[in-house]
Coordinates of all heavy atoms in Angstrom, one line a residue:
M1 N -13.9 105.1 22.3 CA -14.1 103.7 22.5 C -15.5 103.5 23.1 O -15.9 104.2 24.0 CB -13.1 103.2 23.5 CG -13.2 101.8 23.9 SD -11.9 101.2 25.0 CE -10.5 100.9 24.0
S2 N -16.2 102.6 22.5 CA -17.6 102.3 23.0 C -17.5 101.6 24.4 O -16.5 101.0 24.8 CB -18.3 101.4 22.0 OG -17.8 100.1 22.0
F3 N -18.6 101.6 25.0 CA -18.7 100.9 26.3 C -18.4 99.4 26.1 O -17.7 98.8 26.9 CB -20.1 101.1 26.9 CG -20.2 100.9 28.4 CD1 -20.6 101.9 29.2 CD2 -19.8 99.7 29.0 CE1 -20.7 101.7 30.6 CE2 -19.9 99.5 30.3 CZ -20.3 100.5 31.1
Q4 N -19.0 98.8 25.1 CA -18.8 97.4 24.8 C -17.3 97.1 24.5 O -16.7 96.1 24.9 CB -19.6 96.9 23.6 CG -19.5 95.4 23.4 CD -20.1 94.6 24.5 OE1 -21.2 94.7 24.9 NE2 -19.3 93.7 25.1
A5 N -16.6 98.1 23.8 CA -15.2 97.9 23.5 C -14.4 97.9 24.8 O -13.4 97.2 24.9 CB -14.7 99.0 22.6
Y6 N -14.8 98.7 25.8 CA -14.1 98.7 27.1 C -14.2 97.3 27.7 O -13.3 96.7 28.2 CB -14.7 99.7 28.1 CG -14.0 101.0 28.1 CD1 -14.5 102.1 27.3 CD2 -12.9 101.2 28.9 CE1 -13.8 103.3 27.2 CE2 -12.2 102.5 28.8 CZ -12.7 103.5 28.0 OH -12.1 104.7 28.0
L7 N -15.4 96.7 27.7 CA -15.6 95.4 28.3 C -14.8 94.3 27.5 O -14.2 93.4 28.1 CB -17.1 95.0 28.3 CG -18.0 95.8 29.2 CD1 -19.5 95.4 29.1 CD2 -17.6 95.8 30.6
D8 N -14.8 94.4 26.2 CA -14.0 93.5 25.4 C -12.5 93.6 25.7 O -11.8 92.6 25.8 CB -14.2 93.8 23.9 CG -15.6 93.4 23.5 OD1 -16.4 92.7 24.2 OD2 -16.0 93.8 22.4
A9 N -12.0 94.9 26.0 CA -10.6 95.1 26.3 C -10.3 94.5 27.7 O -9.2 94.0 27.9 CB -10.3 96.6 26.3
V10 N -11.3 94.6 28.6 CA -11.1 94.0 29.9 C -10.9 92.5 29.8 O -10.0 91.9 30.4 CB -12.3 94.3 30.9 CG1 -12.3 93.4 32.1 CG2 -12.3 95.8 31.2
E11 N -11.7 91.9 28.9 CA -11.5 90.4 28.6 C -10.1 90.1 28.1 O -9.5 89.2 28.5 CB -12.6 89.9 27.7 CG -12.5 88.5 27.4 CD -13.6 88.0 26.4 OE1 -14.5 88.8 26.0 OE2 -13.5 86.8 26.0
D12 N -9.7 91.0 27.2 CA -8.3 90.8 26.6 C -7.2 90.9 27.7 O -6.3 90.1 27.7 CB -8.0 91.8 25.5 CG -8.8 91.6 24.3 OD1 -9.3 90.5 24.0 OD2 -8.9 92.6 23.5
K13 N -7.4 91.8 28.6 CA -6.4 92.1 29.7 C -6.4 91.0 30.8 O -5.4 90.7 31.3 CB -6.6 93.5 30.3 CG -6.3 94.6 29.4 CD -6.7 96.0 30.0 CE -6.4 97.1 29.1 NZ -5.0 97.5 29.0
T14 N -7.6 90.5 31.1 CA -7.7 89.6 32.2 C -7.9 88.2 31.9 O -7.7 87.3 32.7 CB -8.9 90.0 33.1 OG1 -10.1 89.8 32.4 CG2 -8.9 91.4 33.6
G15 N -8.3 87.9 30.6 CA -8.6 86.5 30.3 C -10.0 86.0 30.8 O -10.3 84.9 30.7
L16 N -10.7 87.0 31.4 CA -12.0 86.6 32.0 C -13.1 87.5 31.3 O -12.9 88.6 31.0 CB -12.0 86.9 33.5 CG -11.0 86.1 34.3 CD1 -10.9 86.7 35.7 CD2 -11.5 84.7 34.4
T17 N -14.3 86.9 31.1 CA -15.4 87.6 30.6 C -16.0 88.6 31.7 O -15.8 88.3 32.9 CB -16.5 86.7 30.1 OG1 -17.1 86.1 31.2 CG2 -16.0 85.7 29.1
P18 N -16.7 89.6 31.2 CA -17.3 90.4 32.3 C -18.2 89.6 33.2 O -18.2 89.9 34.4 CB -18.1 91.4 31.4 CG -17.3 91.5 30.2 CD -16.8 90.1 29.9
R19 N -18.9 88.7 32.7 CA -19.8 87.9 33.6 C -19.0 87.1 34.6 O -19.4 87.0 35.7 CB -20.7 86.9 32.7 CG -21.8 86.3 33.6 CD -22.9 85.7 32.9 NE -23.5 86.3 31.7 CZ -24.4 87.3 31.8 NH1 -24.8 87.7 32.9 NH2 -24.9 87.8 30.7
Q20 N -17.8 86.6 34.2 CA -17.0 85.9 35.2 C -16.5 86.9 36.3 O -16.4 86.5 37.4 CB -15.8 85.2 34.5 CG -16.2 84.1 33.6 CD -15.1 83.6 32.7 OE1 -14.4 84.3 32.1 NE2 -14.9 82.2 32.7
L21 N -16.1 88.1 35.9 CA -15.7 89.1 36.8 C -16.8 89.4 37.8 O -16.6 89.7 39.0 CB -15.1 90.3 36.1 CG -13.7 90.1 35.5 CD1 -13.4 91.2 34.6 CD2 -12.7 89.9 36.5
I22 N -18.0 89.5 37.3 CA -19.2 89.8 38.1 C -19.4 88.7 39.1 O -19.6 89.0 40.3 CB -20.5 90.0 37.2 CG1 -20.4 91.2 36.4 CG2 -21.7 90.0 38.1 CD1 -21.4 91.3 35.3
A23 N -19.2 87.5 38.7 CA -19.3 86.3 39.6 C -18.3 86.4 40.7 O -18.5 86.1 41.9 CB -19.3 85.0 38.9
I24 N -17.0 86.7 40.3 CA -16.0 86.8 41.3 C -16.2 87.9 42.3 O -16.0 87.8 43.5 CB -14.6 87.0 40.6 CG1 -14.3 85.7 39.8 CG2 -13.5 87.3 41.6 CD1 -13.1 85.9 38.8
A25 N -16.7 89.1 41.8 CA -17.1 90.2 42.7 C -18.1 89.8 43.7 O -18.1 90.1 44.8 CB -17.6 91.4 41.8
A26 N -19.1 89.0 43.2 CA -20.2 88.5 44.1 C -19.6 87.6 45.2 O -20.0 87.7 46.4 CB -21.3 87.8 43.3
E27 N -18.7 86.7 44.8 CA -18.0 85.9 45.8 C -17.3 86.7 46.9 O -17.2 86.3 48.0 CB -17.0 84.9 45.1 CG -17.7 83.9 44.3 CD -16.6 83.1 43.4 OE1 -15.4 83.3 43.6 OE2 -17.1 82.3 42.5
K28 N -16.8 87.8 46.5 CA -16.0 88.7 47.4 C -16.9 89.7 48.1 O -16.5 90.5 48.9 CB -14.9 89.5 46.6 CG -13.9 88.6 46.1 CD -12.9 89.4 45.3 CE -11.6 88.6 44.9 NZ -10.8 88.3 46.1
G29 N -18.2 89.6 47.8 CA -19.2 90.6 48.4 C -19.1 92.0 47.9 O -19.7 92.9 48.4
L30 N -18.5 92.1 46.7 CA -18.4 93.4 46.1 C -19.6 93.9 45.3 O -19.6 95.0 44.8 CB -17.1 93.5 45.3 CG -15.8 93.4 46.0 CD1 -14.6 93.2 45.1 CD2 -15.6 94.6 46.9
D31 N -20.6 93.0 45.3 CA -21.8 93.4 44.6 C -22.9 93.8 45.6 O -24.0 94.1 45.2 CB -22.3 92.2 43.8 CG -22.7 91.0 44.6 OD1 -22.3 90.9 45.8 OD2 -23.5 90.1 44.1
A32 N -22.6 93.9 46.8 CA -23.5 94.3 47.9 C -24.0 95.7 47.7 O -23.2 96.6 47.3 CB -22.9 94.1 49.3
P33 N -25.3 96.0 48.0 CA -25.7 97.4 47.9 C -24.9 98.3 48.8 O -24.5 97.9 49.9 CB -27.2 97.3 48.4 CG -27.6 95.9 48.2 CD -26.3 95.1 48.4
G34 N -24.5 99.4 48.3 CA -23.7 100.4 49.0 C -22.2 100.2 48.8 O -21.5 101.0 49.4
T35 N -21.8 99.2 48.1 CA -20.4 99.0 47.9 C -19.9 100.2 47.1 O -20.4 100.5 46.0 CB -20.0 97.7 47.2 OG1 -20.5 96.6 48.0 CG2 -18.6 97.5 46.9
K36 N -18.8 100.8 47.5 CA -18.2 101.9 46.8 C -17.4 101.5 45.6 O -16.8 100.4 45.6 CB -17.3 102.8 47.7 CG -18.0 103.3 48.9 CD -19.0 104.4 48.5 CE -19.5 105.1 49.8 NZ -20.6 106.0 49.5
A37 N -17.4 102.3 44.5 CA -16.7 102.0 43.3 C -15.2 101.8 43.7 O -14.5 100.9 43.1 CB -16.9 103.1 42.3
G38 N -14.7 102.6 44.6 CA -13.3 102.5 45.0 C -12.8 101.1 45.4 O -11.7 100.7 45.1
A39 N -13.7 100.4 46.2 CA -13.4 99.1 46.6 C -13.3 98.1 45.4 O -12.4 97.3 45.4 CB -14.4 98.6 47.6
I40 N -14.2 98.3 44.5 CA -14.1 97.4 43.3 C -12.9 97.7 42.5 O -12.2 96.8 42.0 CB -15.4 97.5 42.5 CG1 -16.6 97.1 43.4 CG2 -15.4 96.7 41.2 CD1 -18.0 97.5 42.8
L41 N -12.7 99.0 42.3 CA -11.5 99.4 41.5 C -10.2 98.9 42.1 O -9.3 98.5 41.4 CB -11.5 101.0 41.3 CG -12.6 101.6 40.5 CD1 -12.5 103.1 40.6 CD2 -12.4 101.1 39.0
E42 N -10.1 99.0 43.4 CA -8.9 98.5 44.1 C -8.7 97.0 43.8 O -7.6 96.6 43.5 CB -9.0 98.8 45.6 CG -7.8 98.4 46.4 CD -7.9 98.7 47.8 OE1 -8.6 99.6 48.2 OE2 -7.2 98.0 48.6
W43 N -9.8 96.2 44.0 CA -9.7 94.8 43.7 C -9.2 94.6 42.2 O -8.3 93.7 42.0 CB -11.1 94.2 44.0 CG -11.2 92.8 43.3 CD1 -10.5 91.7 43.5 CD2 -12.2 92.5 42.3 NE1 -11.0 90.7 42.7 CE2 -12.0 91.2 41.9 CE3 -13.3 93.2 41.7 CZ2 -12.8 90.5 41.0 CZ3 -14.1 92.6 40.8 CH2 -13.9 91.3 40.4
L44 N -9.9 95.2 41.3 CA -9.5 95.0 39.9 C -8.1 95.4 39.6 O -7.4 94.8 38.8 CB -10.5 95.8 39.0 CG -11.9 95.3 39.0 CD1 -12.9 96.3 38.3 CD2 -12.0 93.9 38.4
A45 N -7.6 96.5 40.2 CA -6.2 96.9 40.0 C -5.2 96.0 40.6 O -4.2 95.6 40.0 CB -6.0 98.3 40.6
T46 N -5.5 95.5 41.8 CA -4.6 94.6 42.5 C -4.6 93.2 41.9 O -3.5 92.7 41.6 CB -5.1 94.5 44.0 OG1 -5.0 95.8 44.6 CG2 -4.2 93.5 44.8
D47 N -5.7 92.7 41.6 CA -5.8 91.3 41.1 C -5.6 91.2 39.6 O -5.1 90.2 39.1 CB -7.1 90.6 41.5 CG -7.2 90.3 42.9 OD1 -6.3 90.8 43.7 OD2 -8.1 89.6 43.3
Y48 N -5.9 92.2 38.8 CA -5.9 92.1 37.4 C -5.1 93.2 36.6 O -5.0 93.2 35.4 CB -7.3 92.1 36.8 CG -8.1 90.9 37.4 CD1 -9.0 91.1 38.4 CD2 -7.8 89.6 37.0 CE1 -9.7 90.1 39.0 CE2 -8.5 88.5 37.6 CZ -9.4 88.8 38.6 OH -10.1 87.7 39.1
G49 N -4.6 94.2 37.4 CA -3.9 95.3 36.8 C -4.7 96.3 35.9 O -4.2 96.9 35.1
L50 N -6.0 96.3 36.2 CA -6.9 97.2 35.4 C -6.8 98.6 35.9 O -6.7 98.9 37.1 CB -8.4 96.7 35.5 CG -8.7 95.4 34.8 CD1 -10.2 95.2 34.9 CD2 -8.3 95.4 33.3
G51 N -6.8 99.6 35.0 CA -6.8 101.0 35.3 C -8.2 101.5 35.5 O -9.2 100.7 35.4
R52 N -8.4 102.7 35.8 CA -9.7 103.3 36.2 C -10.7 103.2 35.1 O -11.9 102.8 35.4 CB -9.5 104.7 36.6 CG -10.8 105.4 37.1 CD -10.6 106.7 37.7 NE -11.8 107.3 38.2 CZ -12.4 107.0 39.3 NH1 -11.9 106.1 40.1 NH2 -13.6 107.6 39.6
G53 N -10.4 103.5 33.9 CA -11.4 103.5 32.8 C -12.0 102.1 32.6 O -13.2 101.9 32.6
H54 N -11.1 101.1 32.5 CA -11.6 99.7 32.3 C -12.3 99.2 33.5 O -13.3 98.5 33.5 CB -10.5 98.8 31.9 CG -9.9 99.1 30.5 ND1 -8.8 99.9 30.3 CD2 -10.4 98.8 29.3 CE1 -8.6 100.0 29.0 NE2 -9.6 99.4 28.4
G55 N -11.7 99.6 34.7 CA -12.4 99.2 35.9 C -13.8 99.8 36.1 O -14.7 99.1 36.6
M56 N -14.0 101.0 35.7 CA -15.3 101.6 35.9 C -16.3 101.0 35.0 O -17.5 100.9 35.3 CB -15.2 103.2 35.6 CG -14.6 103.9 36.7 SD -15.4 103.7 38.3 CE -17.0 104.5 38.1
A57 N -15.9 100.4 33.8 CA -16.8 99.7 33.0 C -17.3 98.4 33.8 O -18.5 98.1 33.7 CB -16.2 99.3 31.7
I58 N -16.4 97.8 34.5 CA -16.8 96.6 35.3 C -17.6 97.0 36.5 O -18.6 96.4 36.8 CB -15.6 95.8 35.7 CG1 -14.9 95.2 34.5 CG2 -15.9 94.7 36.7 CD1 -15.7 94.3 33.6
V59 N -17.3 98.2 37.1 CA -18.1 98.7 38.2 C -19.5 98.9 37.7 O -20.5 98.5 38.4 CB -17.5 100.0 38.8 CG1 -18.5 100.7 39.7 CG2 -16.2 99.8 39.5
H60 N -19.7 99.4 36.6 CA -21.0 99.7 36.1 C -21.8 98.4 36.0 O -23.0 98.3 36.4 CB -21.0 100.3 34.7 CG -22.4 100.5 34.1 ND1 -23.1 101.6 34.3 CD2 -23.1 99.7 33.3 CE1 -24.3 101.4 33.7 NE2 -24.3 100.3 33.1
V61 N -21.3 97.4 35.3 CA -22.0 96.1 35.2 C -22.2 95.4 36.5 O -23.2 94.7 36.6 CB -21.5 95.2 34.1 CG1 -21.6 95.9 32.7 CG2 -20.0 94.8 34.4
I62 N -21.4 95.5 37.5 CA -21.6 94.9 38.8 C -22.7 95.7 39.5 O -23.6 95.0 40.1 CB -20.3 95.0 39.6 CG1 -19.2 94.1 39.1 CG2 -20.6 94.7 41.1 CD1 -17.8 94.2 39.7
Q63 N -22.7 97.0 39.4 CA -23.7 97.7 40.2 C -25.0 98.0 39.5 O -26.0 98.1 40.1 CB -23.1 99.1 40.6 CG -21.9 98.9 41.6 CD -21.3 100.2 42.0 OE1 -21.5 101.3 41.3 NE2 -20.7 100.2 43.2
K64 N -25.0 98.1 38.1 CA -26.2 98.5 37.4 C -26.6 97.5 36.4 O -27.7 97.7 35.7 CB -25.9 99.8 36.7 CG -25.6 100.9 37.8 CD -25.4 102.2 37.1 CE -25.1 103.3 38.2 NZ -24.8 104.6 37.7
G65 N -25.9 96.4 36.2 CA -26.3 95.4 35.2 C -25.8 95.8 33.8 O -25.0 96.6 33.6
A66 N -26.3 95.0 32.8 CA -25.8 95.1 31.4 C -26.5 96.2 30.6 O -26.3 96.2 29.4 CB -26.0 93.7 30.8
T67 N -27.3 97.0 31.1 CA -28.0 98.1 30.3 C -27.3 99.4 30.5 O -26.9 99.8 31.6 CB -29.4 98.2 30.8 OG1 -30.1 96.9 30.7 CG2 -30.2 99.2 29.9
I68 N -27.1 100.1 29.4 CA -26.6 101.4 29.4 C -27.6 102.4 28.8 O -28.5 102.0 28.1 CB -25.2 101.5 28.6 CG1 -25.4 101.1 27.2 CG2 -24.2 100.7 29.3 CD1 -24.2 101.3 26.3
G69 N -27.4 103.7 29.0 CA -28.2 104.7 28.4 C -28.2 104.7 26.9 O -27.2 104.2 26.3
E70 N -29.1 105.4 26.3 CA -29.3 105.4 24.9 C -28.4 106.5 24.2 O -28.4 106.7 23.0 CB -30.7 105.7 24.5 CG -31.7 104.6 24.9 CD -31.6 103.3 24.0 OE1 -31.2 103.5 22.8 OE2 -31.9 102.2 24.5
K71 N -27.7 107.3 25.0 CA -27.0 108.5 24.5 C -26.1 108.2 23.3 O -26.2 109.0 22.3 CB -26.1 109.1 25.6 CG -25.4 110.3 25.2 CD -24.6 110.9 26.4 CE -23.9 112.2 26.0 NZ -23.1 112.8 27.1
H72 N -25.4 107.2 23.3 CA -24.5 106.9 22.2 C -24.9 105.7 21.3 O -24.2 105.4 20.3 CB -23.1 106.6 22.7 CG -22.5 107.7 23.5 ND1 -22.1 108.9 22.9 CD2 -22.2 107.9 24.8 CE1 -21.6 109.8 23.8 NE2 -21.7 109.2 24.9
V73 N -26.1 105.2 21.6 CA -26.5 104.0 20.8 C -27.0 104.5 19.4 O -27.8 105.4 19.3 CB -27.7 103.3 21.5 CG1 -28.3 102.2 20.6 CG2 -27.2 102.7 22.8
G74 N -26.4 103.9 18.4 CA -26.8 104.3 17.0 C -26.2 105.5 16.5 O -26.6 106.0 15.4
T75 N -25.3 106.1 17.2 CA -24.6 107.4 16.7 C -23.4 107.0 15.9 O -23.1 105.8 15.7 CB -24.2 108.2 17.9 OG1 -23.2 107.6 18.6 CG2 -25.3 108.6 18.8
T76 N -22.8 108.0 15.4 CA -21.6 107.7 14.5 C -20.3 108.2 15.2 O -19.3 108.1 14.6 CB -21.8 108.5 13.2 OG1 -21.9 109.9 13.5 CG2 -22.9 108.0 12.4
G77 N -20.4 108.6 16.4 CA -19.2 109.1 17.1 C -18.3 108.0 17.6 O -18.6 106.8 17.5
T78 N -17.2 108.3 18.2 CA -16.2 107.4 18.7 C -16.8 106.5 19.8 O -16.4 105.4 19.9 CB -15.0 108.2 19.3 OG1 -14.5 109.0 18.3 CG2 -13.9 107.3 19.8
H79 N -17.7 107.1 20.6 CA -18.2 106.3 21.7 C -19.5 105.6 21.4 O -20.2 105.2 22.3 CB -18.5 107.3 22.9 CG -17.2 108.0 23.4 ND1 -16.2 107.3 24.0 CD2 -16.8 109.2 23.2 CE1 -15.3 108.2 24.3 NE2 -15.6 109.3 23.8
R80 N -19.8 105.3 20.2 CA -21.1 104.7 19.8 C -21.1 103.2 20.2 O -20.1 102.5 20.2 CB -21.3 104.8 18.3 CG -20.3 104.0 17.5 CD -20.5 104.2 16.0 NE -19.5 103.5 15.2 CZ -18.3 103.9 15.0 NH1 -17.9 105.1 15.4 NH2 -17.4 103.2 14.3
D81 N -22.3 102.8 20.6 CA -22.6 101.4 20.9 C -23.7 100.9 20.0 O -24.6 101.7 19.6 CB -23.0 101.3 22.4 CG -21.8 101.1 23.3 OD1 -21.2 100.0 23.2 OD2 -21.4 102.0 24.0
E82 N -23.7 99.7 19.7 CA -24.7 99.1 18.8 C -26.0 98.9 19.5 O -27.1 98.9 18.9 CB -24.3 97.7 18.3 CG -23.0 97.7 17.4 CD -22.5 96.4 17.1 OE1 -23.2 95.4 17.4 OE2 -21.4 96.3 16.5
S83 N -26.0 98.8 20.8 CA -27.2 98.5 21.6 C -27.1 99.0 23.0 O -26.0 99.3 23.5 CB -27.4 96.9 21.6 OG -28.4 96.6 22.6
S84 N -28.2 99.2 23.6 CA -28.2 99.6 25.0 C -28.0 98.4 26.0 O -27.8 98.5 27.2 CB -29.5 100.3 25.4 OG -30.6 99.5 25.3
E85 N -28.0 97.2 25.4 CA -27.7 96.0 26.1 C -26.2 95.5 25.9 O -25.9 95.3 24.7 CB -28.6 94.9 25.8 CG -30.0 95.0 26.3 CD -30.1 95.1 27.8 OE1 -29.5 94.2 28.4 OE2 -30.8 95.9 28.3
L86 N -25.4 95.4 26.9 CA -24.0 95.0 26.8 C -23.9 93.5 26.8 O -24.7 92.8 27.4 CB -23.2 95.6 27.9 CG -23.2 97.1 28.1 CD1 -22.7 97.5 29.4 CD2 -22.4 97.7 26.9
W87 N -23.0 93.0 26.0 CA -22.7 91.5 26.0 C -21.7 91.2 27.0 O -20.6 91.7 27.0 CB -22.2 91.2 24.6 CG -22.1 89.7 24.4 CD1 -21.0 88.9 24.4 CD2 -23.2 88.8 24.3 NE1 -21.3 87.6 24.3 CE2 -22.7 87.5 24.2 CE3 -24.6 88.9 24.3 CZ2 -23.4 86.3 24.1 CZ3 -25.4 87.8 24.1 CH2 -24.8 86.5 24.0
L88 N -22.0 90.3 28.0 CA -21.1 90.0 29.1 C -20.5 88.7 29.0 O -19.7 88.3 29.9 CB -22.0 90.1 30.4 CG -22.6 91.5 30.7 CD1 -23.4 91.4 32.0 CD2 -21.7 92.6 30.7
D89 N -20.8 87.9 28.0 CA -20.4 86.5 28.0 C -19.2 86.2 27.1 O -18.9 85.1 26.7 CB -21.6 85.6 27.5 CG -22.7 85.6 28.6 OD1 -22.3 85.5 29.8 OD2 -23.8 85.8 28.2
G90 N -18.5 87.3 26.8 CA -17.2 87.1 26.0 C -17.3 87.4 24.5 O -18.4 87.1 23.9
K91 N -16.2 87.9 24.0 CA -16.2 88.3 22.6 C -16.5 87.1 21.6 O -17.2 87.3 20.6 CB -14.9 88.9 22.2 CG -14.6 90.2 23.0 CD -13.3 90.8 22.6 CE -12.1 89.9 22.5 NZ -10.9 90.5 22.1
A92 N -16.0 85.9 22.0 CA -16.1 84.8 21.1 C -17.6 84.3 20.9 O -17.9 83.7 19.9 CB -15.3 83.6 21.6
T93 N -18.4 84.7 21.9 CA -19.8 84.2 21.8 C -20.8 85.3 21.4 O -22.0 85.1 21.4 CB -20.3 83.6 23.1 OG1 -20.2 84.6 24.2 CG2 -19.4 82.4 23.5
K94 N -20.2 86.5 21.2 CA -21.1 87.7 20.9 C -21.8 87.4 19.5 O -21.2 87.1 18.5 CB -20.2 88.9 20.8 CG -21.0 90.2 20.8 CD -20.2 91.5 20.7 CE -18.9 91.4 21.5 NZ -18.1 92.6 21.3
P95 N -23.1 87.6 19.5 CA -23.9 87.3 18.3 C -23.4 88.1 17.1 O -23.5 87.6 16.0 CB -25.3 87.7 18.7 CG -25.4 87.6 20.1 CD -24.0 87.9 20.6
T96 N -22.9 89.3 17.3 CA -22.5 90.1 16.2 C -21.0 89.9 15.8 O -20.5 90.5 14.9 CB -22.7 91.6 16.5 OG1 -21.9 92.0 17.6 CG2 -24.1 92.0 16.7
A97 N -20.3 89.0 16.5 CA -18.9 88.7 16.3 C -18.7 88.0 15.0 O -19.5 87.4 14.4 CB -18.3 87.9 17.4

């Protein structure tokens, strides 16, 4: 599963776009420097029923933004992504949708 597919699945599971979840995390102070992934994962599990894999995708965009490494970009493997820039505004508005 690509990184973007994880984010799209989070939207399916929660009804919220990644950007909306980032905003909620900020309201809760979970975007503060030094916030541990465990605190974010606990919030996502409690409020939205997300497991670790999907939760860690959200942790990444909260803590590091919408850019990912080039390792799987343009490859043909299972984990391939189209771009190193993740789309956070929802599947319905994705330019490649």
Side-chain angles (χ1 to χ4, degrees):
M1 180 180 278
S2 72
F3 201 122
Q4 185 65 56
Y6 268 95
L7 295 178
D8 292 347
V10 167
E11 183 181 354
D12 290 340
K13 290 174 181 284
T14 66
L16 298 167
T17 67
R19 192 164 315 276
Q20 290 170 315
L21 288 168
I22 293 167
I24 295 167
E27 290 171 9
K28 294 178 170 290
L30 293 170
D31 64 339
T35 300
K36 300 288 186 191
I40 299 170
L41 291 171
E42 183 178 332
W43 160 61
L44 292 168
T46 299
D47 289 9
Y48 302 104
L50 291 183
R52 183 169 179 81
H54 292 98
M56 285 304 292
I58 297 299
V59 167
H60 175 90
V61 295
I62 290 170
Q63 294 182 335
K64 299 179 181 179
T67 302
I68 58 171
E70 297 283 334
K71 181 177 181 180
H72 297 292
V73 175
T75 65
T76 58
T78 304
H79 299 290
R80 69 183 174 276
D81 273 287
E82 296 175 7
S83 169
S84 61
E85 287 297 315
L86 300 166
W87 187 255
L88 303 179
D89 295 315
K91 298 184 314 180
T93 64
K94 197 181 318 178
T96 58

